[in-house]
Amino acid sequence: MSFYDKIQATATYIKTKIQHQPGVAIILGSGLSGLADLISKEIEIPYSEIPNFPLSTVEGHDGKLVFGTIGNQQVMLMAGRFHYYEGYSMQEVTFPIRVMKALGVHTVIVSNAAGGTNPTFAIGDLMIINDHINLFPEHPLRGPNDPRMGVRFLDMSSPYDTDLITKAREIAAESNIKLREGVYVGLQGPTFETPAEYRWLHTIGGDAVGMSTVPEVIVARHCEMKVFAISVITDLGVTDTPVTISHQEVLEAANAAAPVMAGLVEKLVKKM
Ligand code: HPA
């Protein structure tokens, strides 16, 4: 079966389970599963039941699609994403994004936990991603291009939707949420960075660094969906004194910031 046919088959299966076509998809990052409470849930489908779906392996990621509403928007939520460091191919990592498009999604909200490389940032800050630097060793659009899925040479001059960024800024101002904005550097992990790497990432223009998001954003843009992306800064690589980081600390910091992020995302979806 071709990649295109696999996507269609998965979407066809999901359509038999849901009552309404989702317009907005939300991808939950590490430690941000609390955002799932935003949605008035209609149905949950575990990845294990979805044909062609990979299974997520990482602690803190659940592995299910949740369909329901936020306000009067039909929303699907992806609880548990696929990371390149887990060993998935880039096609597997971004497969759910293709399925979202096939289900009728027009806007994807991507969240993640990230390390701060900007010295003005603090742990717990939320950062709107306004641009990215792709340092993954493999590109999700590498290989033959199927024109049914998008163009061969994709414009990336404005991957993050400027209207949604403006709306998020307005919401943050109204709700007294301190919001940062900056460039997310995506790399493969699974190691956190050395002090020299954090310094270098800031030198090349990064404000935050993480192991996800960039492949998904590229593919969402390839299939012409709008993208809004936001990081919670869970640790800092901003001093020359080495600071140890653990996955546990990342999860705890993300959990602590999740309610504020949830409030922002809820208002943003209602304003769409
Ligand atoms: N580096 C890479 N990925 C991350 C980090 C980090 O410091 N924090 C959370 N995810």
Side-chain angles (χ1 to χ4, degrees):
M1 205 192 286
S2 72
F3 189 51
Y4 182 83
D5 290 339
K6 263 190 178 174
I7 295 159
Q8 300 308 315
T10 303
T12 301
Y13 170 82
I14 292 170
K15 282 178 189 167
T16 65
K17 301 274 167 189
I18 59 178
Q19 312 283 345
H20 307 281
Q21 169 179 309
V24 178
I26 304 174
I27 302 176
L28 303 185
S30 304
L32 293 167
S33 52
L35 265 72
D37 299 338
L38 280 178
I39 191 165
S40 303
K41 186 168 63 180
E42 275 162 22
I43 184 172
E44 239 177 55
I45 316 177
Y47 293 165
S48 55
E49 290 176 11
I50 306 175
N52 305 321
F53 239 65
L55 289 173
S56 66
T57 65
V58 81
E59 183 197 335
H61 291 262
D62 279 352
K64 64 189 177 200
L65 296 180
V66 183
F67 292 82
T69 53
I70 296 178
N72 43 32
Q73 294 277 6
Q74 295 295 333
V75 175
M76 69 180 280
L77 200 128
M78 187 177 161
R81 60 147 61 96
F82 306 108
H83 300 86
Y84 187 71
Y85 62 74
E86 292 174 87
Y88 300 113
S89 69
M90 278 297 186
Q91 280 199 343
E92 288 170 316
V93 167
T94 57
F95 183 76
I97 310 291
R98 299 285 183 193
V99 172
M100 288 169 188
K101 174 70 180 182
L103 291 172
V105 168
H106 53 73
T107 304
V108 184
I109 298 179
V110 188
S111 66
N112 63 51
T117 55
N118 181 323
T120 68
F121 286 3
I123 289 176
D125 280 355
L126 300 183
M127 186 193 89
I128 295 179
I129 301 176
N130 58 21
D131 204 344
H132 73 226
I133 298 174
N134 180 12
L135 294 184
F136 279 90
E138 191 193 327
H139 199 284
L141 303 183
R142 178 172 177 268
N145 188 64
D146 185 335
R148 290 172 294 183
M149 296 202 269
V151 297
R152 170 75 290 185
F153 298 106
L154 177 65
D155 172 71
M156 288 295 280
S157 58
S158 188
Y160 298 91
D161 190 81
T162 47
D163 288 343
L164 292 174
I165 291 177
T166 304
K167 283 194 176 115
R169 277 190 204 128
E170 287 165 6
I171 292 162
E174 285 160 14
S175 325
N176 262 321
I177 298 171
K178 186 173 84 174
L179 206 51
R180 310 290 199 162
E181 263 177 63
V183 175
Y184 176 93
V185 186
L187 27 73
Q188 66 171 319
T191 47
F192 293 113
E193 288 66 38
T194 65
E197 286 167 341
Y198 282 121
R199 265 198 310 278
W200 171 67
L201 293 168
H202 189 236
T203 304
I204 64 169
D207 297 293
V209 53
M211 308 171 195
S212 68
T213 302
V214 167
E216 294 146 322
V217 170
I218 290 170
V219 168
R221 293 303 300 144
H222 190 236
C223 49
E224 298 181 348
M225 295 189 286
K226 285 188 201 168
V227 172
F228 177 81
I230 183 161
S231 296
V232 50
I233 304 300
T234 55
D235 52 276
L236 293 168
V238 298
T239 62
D240 288 337
T241 328
V243 181
T244 61
I245 311 168
S246 68
H247 184 56
Q248 194 52 35
E249 286 168 295
V250 166
L251 292 181
E252 281 167 16
N255 267 313
V260 183
M261 189 186 281
L264 180 75
V265 168
E266 179 178 22
K267 291 189 175 114
L268 186 63
V269 171
K270 287 181 173 169
K271 270 201 176 191
M272 278 176 188

